[in-house]
Amino acid sequence: GRLRENRETMVNQKSLAYGVEKSSIREIAGYAMQRRAEIGAQNVFDFSIGNPSVPAPESVRTSIEAAMQLPPQQVHSYTPAIGIPQAREAIAASLRRRFGDHAAQADDLILTCGAAASVSMALNSIVSPGEEVIVIAPYFPEYRVWIDHAQATCVEVLADEKTFQIDVDAVCAALTSKTRAVIINSPNNPVGAVYTRENLDAFANMLRKRSTELGTDIYVISDEPYREIVFGNIEVPWVPDVYERTIVCYSYSKSLSLPGERIGWVLVPASNPEQKEIYAACAGAARLLGFVCAPALFQRVIIDCVDEPADVEAYAKNREVLTEGLTKLGYEYIQPDGAFYLWVHAPGGDAQAFCDVAKQFELLPVPSDSFGCPGWLRVSYCVAYQTCVDSLAAWEKTLAAMN
Ligand code: PLP
């Protein structure tokens, strides 16, 4: 279109800034796509993006095919804003089976367009302009954007530098009378850490004590899209049982490999003293954000597939071959207990410098700076097993070239 001269354009400046801002993850993914076209997919080691490599389960296809036999107006209509009652009931029943009879009721749930919507709704339900929201760094970069949209301040608190568990003392030091919420994410993107019960207990006790002293209510927004993706007998505690003022955000993007379909939920459990009000504010936030309702077809799919187990085998194999290979080469990393990310210490300490060298060998991890924690590499290993195996030569060559 035409450019106005000597005048700012009329567009919203904040939206414009986010629209033109470059996401380093997407930029690397775009470069990887270009290189695949140029030199063949088998020669590119793209560890950039968290798109599950495991196919969605067969039961998803069966459910969609069954829905296609129904009259279209029954399948494609608007649903109630909070979701189809049968979907909310199926999810609540599943949560009760897994976490106890008190865990959820259908009326505590709202179906959403994925975890992005769930976390945005949770934030807008409790946070007012000018308040503060704490994130545990390194963290999923979109948190900063959603907090900004709620006109709140994003306060970064580094995780424990050795274990990448929550640094309870550091969070305590960052709390102010303006702190309204802490976002936690376990199993964690980008580190793969799973917060232990001891860590969460200490965190909850500290929050209770400090919020009484400060005279405020502090909420925990528990973002859990990787809850089922854990290796071995790792416990992922049910956070509302540890801390009462918790809002749980979930998505089927990772567990059922449906990231493009936009389906998840937000739960405001009865453990919250102001449960009814927060739930109503969550529904209001969905309206404010223009979400209308979660995709109707996939709400139906969830009714059928709510207890479908996540297929973690492929990720477990990738984790094993990468961690064994990188250990032999002398890399240091955080042993991941969950999700499908490996957090590797950047040899030399400069993540961007490492990535610039790695690029020459078609090795494409993401430098950690955009996650709010310099000096590391995020390796998304939700890729083909052979890519992990074949990448080891590139990891070796990069290390040699750095020295
Ligand atoms: N939260 C975390 C920690 C994530 O890693 C992601 C996606 O990668 C999301 C939220 C967004 O998930 P969804 O696709 O369900 O919106």
Side-chain angles (χ1 to χ4, degrees):
R2 249 176 339 126
L3 277 178
R4 293 160 198 261
E5 272 178 40
N6 301 326
R7 216 182 124 180
E8 265 190 22
T9 56
M10 302 295 276
V11 300
N12 178 292
Q13 295 301 303
K14 186 158 142 180
S15 300
L16 177 62
Y18 283 120
V20 300
E21 186 186 67
K22 292 196 166 48
S23 146
S24 69
I25 300 174
R26 294 204 171 261
E27 214 163 291
I28 298 166
Y31 174 77
M33 194 189 291
Q34 177 200 324
R35 288 304 280 161
R36 279 195 287 273
E38 286 165 2
I39 62 170
Q42 73 281 8
N43 299 313
V44 182
F45 311 111
D46 175 14
F47 294 107
S48 61
I49 211 163
N51 232 343
S53 51
V54 166
E58 191 55 32
S59 58
V60 167
R61 178 200 294 270
T62 312
S63 174
I64 293 169
E65 284 172 353
M68 288 299 103
Q69 305 305 313
L70 298 168
Q73 63 273 35
Q74 206 173 315
V75 180
H76 301 304
S77 297
Y78 290 124
T79 75
I82 56 176
I84 301 172
Q86 295 90 319
R88 291 184 292 111
E89 263 150 34
I91 295 162
S94 171
L95 293 173
R96 286 195 296 270
R97 281 192 292 277
R98 294 167 65 190
F99 307 114
D101 284 345
H102 61 290
Q105 299 296 326
D107 291 347
D108 307 338
L109 283 159
I110 303 177
L111 274 290
T112 66
C113 312
S118 305
V119 176
S120 301
M121 285 160 58
L123 281 167
N124 283 286
S125 72
I126 49 173
V127 177
S128 298
E131 293 182 335
E132 294 167 2
V133 178
I134 292 178
V135 297
I136 310 297
Y139 63 97
F140 182 57
E142 293 304 293
Y143 291 161
R144 185 174 55 80
V145 184
W146 303 333
I147 292 168
D148 187 15
H149 180 258
Q151 297 179 55
T153 304
C154 177
V155 177
E156 298 180 1
V157 174
L158 280 173
D160 182 278
E161 62 179 353
K162 288 208 177 63
T163 61
F164 284 87
Q165 299 276 309
I166 301 169
D167 184 336
V168 176
D169 292 339
V171 175
C172 184
L175 293 177
T176 75
S177 57
K178 287 188 184 166
T179 309
R180 178 60 59 236
V182 185
I183 304 180
I184 63 171
N185 166 227
S186 169
N188 183 264
N189 173 13
V191 174
V194 176
Y195 298 154
T196 64
R197 184 169 286 280
E198 296 67 40
N199 185 235
L200 288 170
D201 273 335
F203 173 62
N205 289 336
M206 180 279 292
L207 283 185
R208 275 188 212 104
K209 182 163 173 284
R210 276 305 282 156
S211 54
T212 306
E213 287 166 5
L214 291 165
T216 62
D217 296 331
I218 301 171
Y219 293 89
V220 168
I221 297 175
S222 185
D223 181 25
E224 310 188 346
Y226 302 97
R227 169 168 279 281
E228 290 80 16
I229 302 175
V230 289
F231 308 110
N233 289 324
I234 298 290
E235 184 197 16
V236 184
W238 181 241
V239 182
D241 284 349
V242 180
Y243 186 69
E244 51 286 350
R245 283 192 166 87
T246 294
I247 303 175
V248 184
C249 298
Y250 186 75
S251 160
Y252 297 94
S253 292
K254 316 292 175 170
S255 58
L256 293 184
S257 298
L258 296 173
E261 305 300 354
R262 316 309 303 138
I263 187 76
W265 46 256
V266 58
L267 170 73
V268 184
S271 57
N272 282 279
E274 311 81 7
Q275 195 258 352
K276 290 264 173 308
E277 204 176 355
I278 299 168
Y279 182 87
C282 255
R287 191 178 164 198
L288 272 169
L289 293 160
F291 290 153
V292 184
C293 66
L297 176 60
F298 280 84
Q299 292 191 45
R300 284 181 177 279
V301 167
I302 298 313
I303 298 173
D304 293 335
C305 304
V306 70
D307 285 327
E308 190 68 42
D311 178 4
V312 298
E313 258 326 290
Y315 305 132
K317 273 182 70 183
N318 290 357
R319 178 185 80 137
E320 196 177 317
V321 71
L322 271 178
T323 53
E324 274 181 13
L326 293 187
T327 301
K328 276 192 197 129
L329 294 173
Y331 283 91
E332 287 168 18
Y333 54 83
I334 301 299
Q335 180 66 28
D337 287 326
F340 36 55
Y341 306 102
L342 186 63
W343 191 241
V344 180
H345 189 253
D350 182 338
Q352 189 58 56
F354 179 91
C355 290
D356 290 343
V357 176
K359 201 171 176 181
Q360 299 165 27
F361 304 104
E362 314 299 341
L363 175 61
L364 304 170
V366 179
S368 64
D369 303 72
S370 58
F371 300 94
C373 177
W376 297 77
L377 311 163
R378 188 191 74 164
V379 180
S380 289
Y381 58 84
C382 44
V383 298
Y385 177 72
Q386 204 56 43
T387 302
C388 296
V389 175
D390 294 345
S391 77
L392 289 170
W395 285 101
E396 185 169 16
K397 285 181 208 157
T398 305
L399 201 55
M402 296 284 297
N403 290 328

